[in-house]
Amino acid sequence: AAKAPSAWGRLESKLGRTGARITGAAVVLALVAIGALATKPARDAAWLRNETLPEIDRLIEATHFDSAMRLVARARERMPKDSVLEERLWDVAFAQVLRKESQEYEVSWRKLEGDEAWHPAVRSADSLWFPRLPAVVRIRREGFRERIVFPFVLRAAADLEPTNAPHPEMDRVFGGEARPIMPGLGEVPAVAVGDYLLDRFEVTNAEFKLFVDAGGYADAKYWTEPIIGPGRISLSFPEAAALMVDRTGRPGPATWEGGSHASGADELPVGGVSWYEAMAYARFAEKELPTLYHWTRAAGTPQMDRIVTRANFGADRPQRGADSKAMSPYGTFDMAGNMREWVANSFGSQRFILGGGYTDQTYAFVDAYAQAPIDRSPINGIRLMKRFPTDSTPRTAWAPIARQLRDYRLERPVNDEVYRGMIGLYAFDRVPLDVRVESVDSSSADYTMERITIATPYGRERMPIYVYIPRRARLPLQAVVFYPGSGAFYQTTREEITSNSLDAIVNSGRMVVWPVYASQYEREHTLDSDSPRETANYRDHVAMWVKDARRTVDYLQTRADVDTARIAYFGFSFGGRMAPIILALEPRLKAAVLTVAGLKMERPRPESDPLNYLPRVQIPVLMLNGEFDHYFPLESSQRPFHSLLGTPASQKRHVVFKGGHSVPRTLLITESLQWLDTHLGTVSK
């Protein structure tokens, strides 16, 4: 084969073809150029390694993801194909692809708090990049209405409305599978809703006065539902009209006087209206009350921690929508706080009224609250939606909804006699473990990972267990048994060990043990719902999960490298919710860390109910929770859990931070390791 020409040969050939004369000066210049070309990759690599990556990592450690993203973007311009920079970009930012050519839009972002400046999105070939921090995105295009939304709805929101489109007071919410994410609604089935428009702000006094002045309270065509008054008595229209009056006895909301609102209150949201008045006004406005599905899809209850801190809660008066900073994902305001908002669905004889009002506390945003439809409290308000003519949302979206709520302040665990009868469900025969080492991964510099399987004490199943063994620790090792969140039931592969900061536990010199519990990850899925249910299937799964945890401890006792007197439990979300049963029944667990755990509103059978096991837990327990957790609200879920624990007060701790359903990594590591050091002992390396 012909030898490839050298750089000098290529230069000589080129000069020869052009007839140029190779002089001494040309040779020097050529050599300098060749040297520069030969060392540029090395210089770039050194610049990246010695200057840029350390600064990026410093910014990440300080959670300055916006500055880190901009630095990564500049570095990628210089080194566009570097794999390390690609990894760092995913560490500090996330990508979105618009439905249409992104060049048609001006897309920028700003922080949700603090910095009010807008920054252009970082663009790559087919994506727009935004920093991993609470932010909003602004989309602009000439001839269309501007949209400001949360980043995760950007792709859909990029279909902007023309400036001359009707209903400029409303924002489009894009359809799809809607599932109300609120405590007590875990068993409500999802419904596929179509696109719809939703009022950007709550209905104002001025808007409602148009209805009053038009004689809306006297026009029966707006009042089509049977009206049930106090005491559940059916009312005629004249009888109902006599109740729908203001403070002076004139038709209008309960907060008005003389048939009108207070002077200067035109732009404040209307309050003091019943569900029937809200329905009548909706017909007058040629709109409708949203269903619970439409309301929760737009409200963004899973984003509670980013919304309620800016909302009008715990106040003595409402505020103008234009003054609000409590924006939900699609650009609507005050769905959290300010006024409670009626929705179409019923719960028994009541109607849902959602979001909480200005006198409520922040947890009301995710409270599936319902009250008598005749109620005219001052914080009862209205927000309306409008569907498109082609809407195909099924009628089931308007059907009555069964809410399950429990007041754990009033409930009492079963007595000891009943308890002793229940726990037989969790007994099992000590069949041989039949331990098999399936694989060993030594690729990490910090730990070795073993995948082993053992026989379960039920059926013919084998349970995988992933064991992370630190490289730098003195034997025997303390062990921490992990139980993941409910995502484990819907994923086929496990998360990385960095999830829930398990890597920090390994790096502290402790073994992390991650069993694959029944119906999780690669094991056969036989669970129809991870919400508590009064079914035999759910009860049987709880029994399997407890047996899996206890069987894991059985296995650890066979290992010579484990200090079997120092085994702890680490539960995240679902794993924290299941912890009371496991901790009460497995005496070999000596301490526990529970992150974002609490009590659910749905009721299982007594033998599967964590409530009945909480007082039987005696070991030290640390709880780490967010104040604005939409799954486990602080007052109704977290605090009862902590209060009911049988652990002595000096050995249980509840740390509440201003966040949602996750724990900041630094807080989790600091609190968890300190707890393990205190109750298992410090680790020597």
Side-chain angles (χ1 to χ4, degrees):
K3 185 177 181 180
S6 64
W8 170 256
R10 291 195 298 272
L11 177 64
E12 182 181 45
S13 174
K14 182 176 180 181
L15 291 173
R17 287 197 304 271
T18 58
R21 184 178 178 185
I22 303 177
T23 65
V27 170
V28 171
L29 288 174
L31 291 173
V32 170
I34 292 169
L37 289 172
T39 59
K40 184 177 185 304
R43 290 204 314 273
D44 286 346
W47 167 78
L48 180 64
R49 180 178 63 255
N50 299 328
E51 299 179 32
T52 307
L53 287 178
E55 178 62 10
I56 292 171
D57 291 340
R58 185 190 69 78
L59 292 170
I60 293 174
E61 184 67 24
T63 68
H64 296 321
F65 296 115
D66 50 341
S67 299
M69 183 188 74
R70 286 191 286 267
L71 182 54
V72 171
R74 290 197 297 271
R76 289 177 82 238
E77 291 176 359
R78 180 169 174 176
M79 303 178 69
K81 297 182 179 180
D82 186 84
S83 60
V84 176
L85 282 175
E86 188 70 19
E87 291 177 3
R88 288 296 193 281
L89 184 60
W90 283 105
D91 288 340
V92 301
F94 65 93
Q96 287 280 20
V97 182
L98 298 187
R99 287 181 176 177
K100 299 179 180 179
E101 293 297 327
S102 60
Q103 287 76 11
E104 298 178 8
Y105 301 91
E106 175 195 323
V107 183
S108 52
W109 64 271
R110 66 170 171 80
K111 292 181 181 179
L112 207 54
E113 294 283 358
D115 183 13
E116 293 294 322
W118 289 97
H119 308 280
V122 172
R123 294 177 181 265
S124 61
D126 59 355
S127 302
L128 297 173
W129 292 83
F130 302 95
R132 292 188 181 276
L133 48 73
V136 292
V137 176
R138 183 178 67 187
I139 316 163
R140 287 176 165 177
R141 182 184 178 189
E142 187 175 353
F144 293 83
R145 290 185 193 141
E146 175 182 293
R147 289 294 304 267
I148 298 178
V149 297
F150 280 17
F152 70 88
V153 301
L154 175 64
R155 290 186 66 176
D159 284 343
L160 301 177
E161 303 290 332
T163 52
N164 60 353
H167 302 293
E169 78 283 4
M170 308 183 86
D171 285 314
R172 180 188 286 257
V173 180
F174 293 87
E177 185 177 89
R179 184 186 300 276
I181 301 177
M182 287 180 158
L185 301 181
E187 289 301 293
V188 175
V191 170
V193 303
D195 288 9
Y196 57 101
L197 298 175
L198 190 67
D199 284 343
R200 186 173 303 116
F201 305 116
E202 292 160 330
V203 172
T204 65
N205 283 314
E207 291 169 329
F208 197 85
K209 194 169 189 305
L210 297 175
F211 170 68
V212 176
D213 292 347
Y217 274 86
D219 194 335
K221 71 181 180 183
Y222 300 125
W223 306 79
T224 60
E225 284 77 18
I227 300 177
I228 307 300
R232 299 188 182 182
I233 299 173
S234 180
L235 302 176
S236 66
F237 181 63
E239 289 173 328
L243 295 177
M244 310 287 185
V245 294
D246 65 18
R247 293 168 180 162
T248 61
R250 300 182 64 83
T255 55
W256 287 14
E257 293 180 351
S260 185
H261 53 79
S263 176
D266 288 38
E267 296 182 57
L268 291 177
V270 67
V273 293
S274 67
W275 182 83
Y276 302 109
E277 289 164 280
M279 290 288 286
Y281 173 76
R283 291 193 180 89
F284 171 79
E286 298 182 345
K287 299 178 183 179
E288 61 184 309
L289 289 182
T291 71
L292 189 144
Y293 295 93
H294 292 92
W295 192 93
T296 53
R297 182 172 180 82
T301 51
Q303 307 293 318
M304 179 181 180
D305 59 317
R306 301 189 179 192
I307 299 173
V308 297
T309 55
R310 304 158 64 84
N312 188 26
F313 281 113
D316 58 3
R317 62 176 63 88
Q319 66 180 359
R320 295 190 321 148
D323 295 332
S324 175
K325 294 185 178 180
M327 191 185 90
S328 284
Y330 287 93
T332 55
F333 288 83
D334 287 328
M335 298 191 79
N338 216 33
M339 307 300 291
R340 294 176 180 169
E341 299 174 9
W342 289 107
V343 298
N345 305 83
S346 65
F347 168 61
S349 63
Q350 300 178 320
R351 295 284 173 171
F352 285 99
I353 184 165
L354 305 178
Y358 59 89
T359 60
D360 288 323
Q361 297 304 307
T362 53
Y363 63 81
F365 178 47
V366 295
D367 187 3
Y369 184 67
Q371 64 186 14
I374 198 66
D375 189 281
R376 306 181 80 223
S377 299
I379 57 175
N380 292 356
I382 309 171
R383 184 187 304 270
L384 300 179
M385 78 169 183
K386 192 171 185 67
R387 290 179 289 152
F388 293 96
T390 57
D391 181 69
S392 60
T393 303
R395 291 306 303 171
T396 52
W398 283 262
I401 289 176
R403 178 188 64 173
Q404 301 181 54
L405 291 180
R406 302 175 65 177
D407 190 340
Y408 286 103
R409 296 168 300 179
L410 303 178
E411 292 198 40
R412 294 293 177 264
V414 297
N415 61 38
D416 289 345
E417 183 179 356
V418 175
Y419 178 75
R420 285 192 294 270
M422 295 191 318
I423 61 177
L425 173 68
Y426 302 99
F428 59 90
D429 295 328
R430 300 288 174 172
V431 297
L433 288 167
D434 188 19
V435 179
R436 301 175 190 172
V437 179
E438 307 288 353
S439 63
V440 177
D441 183 350
S442 302
S443 59
S444 171
D446 300 318
Y447 58 82
T448 298
M449 185 191 76
E450 297 177 354
R451 182 184 187 274
I452 66 101
T453 61
I454 62 174
T456 63
Y458 51 84
R460 296 180 178 273
E461 289 191 67
R462 294 189 65 79
M463 177 174 63
I465 303 177
Y466 293 84
V467 182
Y468 295 86
I469 307 165
R471 292 186 181 277
R472 293 173 292 277
R474 186 176 299 173
L475 300 180
L477 302 169
Q478 298 177 16
V480 178
V481 178
F482 179 60
Y483 199 125
S486 58
F489 297 111
Y490 308 104
Q491 301 167 220
T492 56
T493 57
R494 293 177 314 115
E495 301 95 330
E496 295 295 327
I497 191 175
T498 51
S499 66
N500 303 293
S501 302
L502 296 177
D503 57 323
I505 294 178
V506 177
N507 291 336
S508 75
R510 296 176 171 93
M511 176 187 291
V512 167
V513 185
W514 189 333
V516 178
Y517 300 84
S519 286
Q520 292 186 2
Y521 301 122
E522 65 259 45
R523 291 183 69 179
E524 181 183 2
H525 288 233
T526 56
L527 186 69
D528 50 3
S529 172
D530 63 270
S531 292
R533 288 183 171 184
E534 294 182 285
T535 63
N537 185 46
Y538 181 78
R539 176 204 62 196
D540 293 345
H541 273 80
V542 173
M544 287 189 283
W545 299 328
V546 174
K547 292 173 184 178
D548 287 344
R550 300 188 67 191
R551 193 70 163 162
T552 299
V553 179
D554 287 347
Y555 162 69
L556 291 176
Q557 290 197 302
T558 69
R559 294 188 63 121
D561 57 352
V562 172
D563 184 343
T564 56
R566 290 179 173 82
I567 303 176
Y569 178 90
F570 190 109
F572 169 73
S573 189
F574 186 94
R577 171 157 69 88
M578 290 305 305
I581 308 179
I582 296 171
L583 300 181
L585 296 175
E586 181 43 75
R588 294 168 293 180
L589 296 170
K590 302 303 183 182
V593 176
L594 310 181
T595 63
V596 293
L599 292 164
K600 289 281 282 185
M601 295 296 108
E602 296 83 5
R603 188 184 300 275
R605 296 184 181 208
E607 62 270 27
S608 307
D609 192 344
L611 171 72
N612 295 320
Y613 297 84
L614 277 165
R616 278 85 186 185
V617 176
Q618 301 294 318
I619 65 173
V621 177
L622 169 67
M623 291 179 63
L624 301 173
N625 287 96
E627 181 181 356
F628 311 118
D629 191 326
H630 60 285
Y631 283 118
F632 300 118
L634 178 62
E635 297 297 336
S636 60
S637 174
Q638 298 172 28
R639 285 188 170 147
F641 187 113
H642 181 258
S643 176
L644 287 165
L645 277 168
T647 304
S650 62
Q651 293 188 330
K652 60 181 180 180
R653 174 172 163 79
H654 187 199
V655 179
V656 180
F657 65 96
K658 289 195 175 297
H661 192 65
S662 62
V663 181
R665 179 177 169 88
T666 301
L667 173 67
L668 193 156
I669 293 172
T670 302
E671 292 285 349
S672 299
L673 295 186
Q674 181 177 331
W675 193 257
L676 295 174
D677 286 347
T678 300
H679 297 287
L680 292 189
T682 56
V683 174
S684 300
K685 294 186 179 181

